[in-house]
Amino acid sequence: MPKLPRCAWLLIGSIALILNHTIGLAATVAFVFAAIGWAATTPAVLVAIASLAAWHLLNAHTPRRRRTVRAHP
């Protein structure tokens, strides 16, 4: 599983539970697979996902400078 913040896991879990209570487990699973299939076959969605991933990589995972540790004389 990817390392996500707790707030993201809470959001995912609460949406899954709301869908489970409103439309049922089978419909929730079918909806998730339909959404993944639609996203994988629609070029505009693939471009949107790729640009969002690039934005995330550039903003959240920028190279960090190494802290220099000075030796004690």
Side-chain angles (χ1 to χ4, degrees):
M1 283 292 206
K3 179 81 171 152
L4 292 175
R6 285 186 190 162
C7 58
W9 285 115
L10 286 172
L11 178 64
I12 291 168
S14 63
I15 289 173
L17 287 174
I18 289 170
L19 286 174
N20 185 23
H21 285 292
T22 56
I23 62 175
L25 182 62
T28 301
V29 172
F31 171 73
V32 169
F33 282 120
I36 290 171
W38 171 75
T41 58
T42 306
V45 176
L46 294 174
V47 169
I49 292 171
S51 63
L52 182 62
W55 176 86
H56 175 75
L57 286 173
L58 291 171
N59 289 301
H61 300 288
T62 56
R64 292 188 174 95
R65 289 185 183 175
R66 251 189 191 179
R67 291 175 41 164
T68 57
V69 179
R70 295 182 182 175
H72 293 288

